[in-house]
Amino acid sequence: MRIVVDATPLSHPRTGVGNYLRGSLRGLAEAASPEDEIVAFAAVSMLSRKRLREALADVPVKRRLVTLPPSAYVWRALWSRAGIPAVERLAGPLDVFHFSDWMYPRQRGGLRSTIVHDLIPLRFPDWVHPRTRRLNLAKYEHAARTCDVIVTISSFTADDIAERLGFPRERIVVAYPGVDERFVLAGSRPHGDYVLMLAPGEPRKNHAALASAVELVRSRRPELRLLAADHVPDEDLPELYRGAAVFAYPSFFEGFGIPILEAMASGAPVVASSHPSLDEASGDAAVRVDPKSPDAIAEGIERALAERDDLVAKGFEHARRFTWRACGEAQLQGFATAL
């Protein structure tokens, strides 16, 4: 199979979506047979092209990068709406075209696939920018109407897609995220007197309840503090995970919750929301709490501190089951079945 993957999101600073894309490309390359060809395709500006090349530097896939004039976003949007030229004109012949949120041009033939990480813009419109909601709703409608396969990151989200988009469940491929090898137990770490939280500015991450919970715990453990930076450089994350007394993830809703696995792989005990969207990431290795109750979150933090050694061991074993190769294998199997 010649599989062309839209790698355009890697032309911008990486978020969870970009990290998944990069990891899944590596997984596809690792799982591919000698007869398969994995191609990272993107249509980007000259400035963004440099960042994309850097993101793909150690990813062993073919590259097909097309340079667009400013604004590349406008050109991609027009291309998707106009439907001409077909993607094969720029990407070459293909058996599978797997597109992202960024563009969805027409193709002449082959399997049509996309990735849906979650349905947050549809289910919780107040949590996202109006433009984000508008773009995602258009993408969902297009995907449900035109795709042969939809790839997603959890069984929870697969069921959500089937129910809310009316897409056949048997044509949804679950390809769990992997855990990058940089998240390991050994390595430098800061002094572990903090509860770590990521992305506190996002409404669904539930910063207010966690902050209240940490204050409750501080009445008994005054040395503990909440570390909730708005942005953590990607290269600093492993050290912060390793140094945390507890990693807290009391989110109201997720597509999967990969930071839970990253923290577990790095040796941090995890307190996670009891919402079922986090079940697969948490397994039986996290302390689960009611995200609406600061008292429950505080009790969970206390338990994680008391049972740290057991939770770290369970978390490490749970996290090691999630690999990018397995992610690539799931996608390849899904594509081969649908062809």
Side-chain angles (χ1 to χ4, degrees):
M1 287 187 290
R2 186 172 191 264
I3 302 170
V4 174
V5 179
D6 173 17
T8 311
L10 293 176
S11 65
H12 283 244
R14 287 210 305 276
T15 60
V17 170
N19 286 332
Y20 180 91
L21 173 57
R22 185 175 181 276
S24 66
L25 278 169
R26 292 177 61 192
L28 281 168
E30 190 176 347
S33 71
E35 293 76 34
D36 295 323
E37 184 180 36
I38 313 300
V39 181
F41 169 71
V44 294
S45 68
M46 182 63 75
L47 181 63
S48 297
R49 184 184 178 112
K50 180 176 183 293
R51 182 181 285 118
L52 197 149
R53 282 187 176 278
E54 291 171 353
L56 293 172
D58 61 347
V59 181
V61 296
K62 297 284 182 67
R63 293 156 178 74
R64 198 72 174 255
L65 308 183
V66 177
T67 303
L68 295 177
S71 153
Y73 165 77
V74 172
W75 285 102
R76 287 192 298 263
L78 290 172
W79 186 23
S80 296
R81 290 172 188 167
I84 52 174
V87 70
E88 288 92 335
R89 177 78 176 271
L90 300 180
L94 53 84
D95 298 294
V96 178
F97 178 50
H98 182 71
F99 62 86
S100 71
D101 296 340
W102 293 66
M103 61 182 181
Y104 30 92
R106 180 178 64 87
Q107 63 194 90
R108 295 193 195 102
L111 190 79
R112 189 166 179 83
S113 171
T114 193
I115 176 78
V116 174
H117 291 267
D118 57 61
L119 295 182
I120 287 171
L122 175 64
R123 294 187 58 164
F124 306 100
D126 292 343
W127 290 354
V128 298
H129 190 279
R131 180 185 178 211
T132 300
R133 181 173 187 269
R134 185 176 67 254
L135 292 174
N136 277 275
L137 292 188
K139 184 264 177 76
Y140 299 154
E141 186 277 331
H142 182 90
R145 177 168 47 84
T146 70
C147 283
D148 302 295
V149 167
I150 290 179
V151 176
T152 193
I153 61 177
S154 70
S155 290
F156 176 90
T157 301
D159 293 341
D160 212 21
I161 291 167
E163 177 185 351
R164 296 174 188 274
L165 300 187
F167 195 82
R169 180 62 178 81
E170 65 273 14
R171 285 163 49 196
I172 303 174
V173 175
V174 177
Y176 290 110
V179 180
D180 287 355
E181 61 274 6
R182 60 201 179 94
F183 297 108
V184 294
L185 298 175
S188 61
R189 66 186 67 210
H191 184 60
D193 59 354
Y194 57 89
V195 175
L196 178 63
M197 179 190 196
L198 299 179
E202 295 186 34
R204 74 178 191 274
K205 302 299 184 183
N206 199 17
H207 175 263
L210 178 59
S212 297
V214 171
E215 286 305 307
L216 291 172
V217 177
R218 278 173 54 83
S219 66
R220 299 176 291 277
R221 299 176 182 265
E223 75 284 358
L224 202 67
R225 60 191 172 94
L226 176 61
L227 178 56
D230 286 322
H231 174 70
V232 177
D234 203 49
E235 62 272 15
D236 294 343
L237 262 179
E239 184 175 318
L240 282 178
Y241 282 137
R242 284 194 296 267
V246 171
F247 175 67
Y249 209 71
S251 177
F252 291 120
F253 188 92
E254 293 292 326
F256 177 76
I258 194 170
I260 290 173
L261 294 182
E262 293 173 348
M264 288 177 175
S266 304
V270 174
V271 174
S273 163
S274 58
H275 191 276
S277 63
L278 283 82
D279 286 353
E280 292 159 274
S282 299
D284 64 353
V287 177
R288 307 297 295 279
V289 296
D290 179 356
K292 297 178 182 178
S293 169
D295 288 330
I297 298 171
E299 290 173 10
I301 292 171
E302 290 278 19
R303 180 182 160 196
L305 293 169
E307 300 176 14
R308 179 184 177 87
D309 291 346
D310 184 50
L311 288 169
V312 167
K314 282 184 177 180
F316 182 75
E317 287 302 313
H318 177 62
R320 70 188 300 188
R321 301 172 191 156
F322 294 83
T323 67
W324 288 118
R325 182 187 179 99
C327 177
E329 288 172 345
Q331 292 184 69
L332 286 173
Q333 182 177 350
F335 296 154
T337 300
L339 278 171

